[in-house]
Amino acid sequence: MSDAQAPHYRVAVRALCDFTAREGDLDHRFTPSPSAREGIEGHALVAGRRADDYETELPLSGRYEGLVVSGRADGYDPARNRLEEIKTHRGDLSRMAANQRALHWAQVKVYGALLCAERGLDDVTLALVYLDIATQRETLLTQAATATELNAFFAAQCRRFLDWAEQERCHRERRDRWLAALHFPHAEFRSGQRELAESVYKAAATGRCLLAQAPTGIGKTMATLFPTLKAMPRQRIDRVAFLTMKTPGRRLALDALAQLELAEPCEEGEFGRPALRVLELVARSKACEYPDKACHGDACPLAAGFYDRLPAARQAAVARGWLDREALREVALEHDICPYYLGQELARWSDVCVGDVNHYFDSSALLHGLAQANGWRLALLVDEAHNLVDRARGMYSAELDQRAFSRLHRSAPAPLVKPMGRLVRQWQGLVREQRESGAAKAESSDYGVLAALPQRLVAALNQAAVAITDYLAEHPGGADAALQERLFEALAFIRLAETFGDHSLCDLSQPGRGQAVLGLRNLVPADFLAPRFAQAHSTVLFSATLSPPRYYRDLLGLPSDCVWQTVTTPFRAEQLEVRIPGGISTRLRDREASLDPIVAELADQYRRQPGPYLAFFSSFAYLERVLARLAERQPDVPTWAQTRGMSEAERDAFLARFRPGGRGIGFAVLGGAFGEGVDLPGDRLIGAFIATLGLPPFDPFNEALKARLETRFGCGDAYAYRIPGLIKVVQAAGRVIRDPQDRGTLVLLDDRFRRPDVRRLLPGWWRVD
Ligand code: SF4
């Protein structure tokens, strides 16, 4: 191994081998792989079977020219002089694709070279230890290798990577020079924008977490992106992840990045190549070119030969630099490879990734995995962060539908009949137990929170999942979609069952015979998210509604030194007339009596000042009743309404009626498609009515949530009902005033808005008449 010459480039053993030793088809048939926990436990199990002097997690590193290669080998047995790479798996090992096996050998050979060099060994036995998670049986593949052979192999891998490494090093230098010179792309900051930008810079500079509540219209996207990018060179930040809740948020971030690119010309001699590599991460369902095919070379033409064509595609993609969804697709199709998996590859080499929050916070999130594997200093920006509690709860929840598994049992191929039958019987047993215990307690037996996980059912589910995995691996061509879907549901459930704790509950709903749904529902995402925040170099969570901060700290698991900032609003009280008419209660028991007074308020306000209004209700049922009453009593008031499951075109048509000079009232549900993220500036919207406090329904689930949050944080009612409700109210009300020139009216339709505990949760700049 030659000695290093500065400057050098660092690469993990795994990343090096992923780059140099992959060839052939992309093949996801051998998945699903064991969970991370199964992997860790599997490694511990193998290590536990070895002698006392067995060394685990061996840190190794070495150099080749300008390259520093490092990583941790799984285990070394000094007595046998055997270096082991442990891989956990499910199903028949002989079905593992040859290129996957070759990759594993490449990894252990590189570790072998590093070990021989470090310890002065002349030779070593290399071993791949495959541990079957289901049977706990080890399959050992070994080969003897001399230090000379391994060193030659290592050098060959490094040589294949060196040009790329050099290109990456130059890119990084050029990127950092460009960022250091980067200027704010507008002549001046908007009111509040500088304040936010300064705090974001501080968070990135000190590696802290910032929870920033900042009003609409101040340019939050630019106020977070610009300072984070400016901090990149000094703080040696490797990557920025701009994470959004919905697709339009991605567009805003990409637009802001495009403005920055335009504002700062690139250095000469770079042929107009952008200095910053930007990647838009898109869901597989949106990026896939062959949605009816499976992701392996026998089924999908874009998976066949994927790794053979990847190097050229990767090179073309990084040369392009700007890779939004369309650009990425273009590059991928020019090289006949899958755009989705090309995007996954490019996440390794992009400076800024713009994508959904699940790309970092989900249990198997790509960006989190890459940051961990490569030791990245990653700066996170999370837009519309008030939604993260609910989104994260969804990420760590799973459901099983009895009907779907019963159907599968009836149509199951022969090898699956037995395990599926066992599972179906466990389902029936659980349903019977619950019905009996519900009846015994004289409670509704349609829904119940289980005292513990139904272990027998989970065990049967595990066996069924293994059987389906084996079957799918043996019949890759004939894999039917329902079978795969059930398998993925089963695995998601099993993984969450492994980490079941007081952050979640297990419930069973039985709307009808044979229609039970078993749920694992996360209540406190903090337990899953805290390590994610801890791993990031810095995090900025921003939104117009992040009060009270303690709610987010507790439920998201933010670090104890997380800074909360509320940016001074540019809006003035006189811009928004806020009224709470007396005598209206929207409590469930008062709904019927509330219809006439609400209709009167809507009509009076509309006649006093005709124009476009939004009226929000807690549910479609309530919305429809008020709408019918208004049509009956005040037929001349124009109305239009949100309906369940609107298509994109229907949503656009709903919004198109909000136009300058337009008139009428658009009815919508709180927390729905029009309750946030909708921008209707000026007289496209002159007022809003909000009926109810947006409280979630008082049902057994929410009552269980409240009890759990009370036990854990002492704030059950506020955390389960009041705060989530008021967040929806404030978001909906935020549609009215979009900039410092806007004026409008907000009518809060419920007496409870006058209560001090509720008023405290409304924006301080509102003056309530
Ligand atoms: S195009 Fe679709 S089916 Fe083909 S590899 Fe990509 S994601 Fe899989």
Side-chain angles (χ1 to χ4, degrees), residues 447 586-589 591 692-706 716-718 720-722 752 755:
Y447 178 88
T586 63
R587 291 169 181 88
L588 218 48
R589 61 173 186 270
R591 290 274 159 101
T692 79
L693 274 67
L695 306 183
F698 293 90
D699 57 22
F701 171 77
N702 283 312
E703 286 297 289
L705 172 67
K706 174 180 155 181
D717 195 46
Y721 292 106
R722 208 159 50 248
R752 285 169 292 175
R755 277 186 0 207

Side-chain angles (χ1 to χ4, degrees), residues 26 284 287-296 300-303 338-341:
L26 181 137
R284 183 186 171 279
C288 177
E289 293 287 321
Y290 292 96
D292 56 329
K293 304 211 183 300
C295 301
H296 56 81
C300 176
L302 301 183
C338 166
Y340 173 69
Y341 287 104

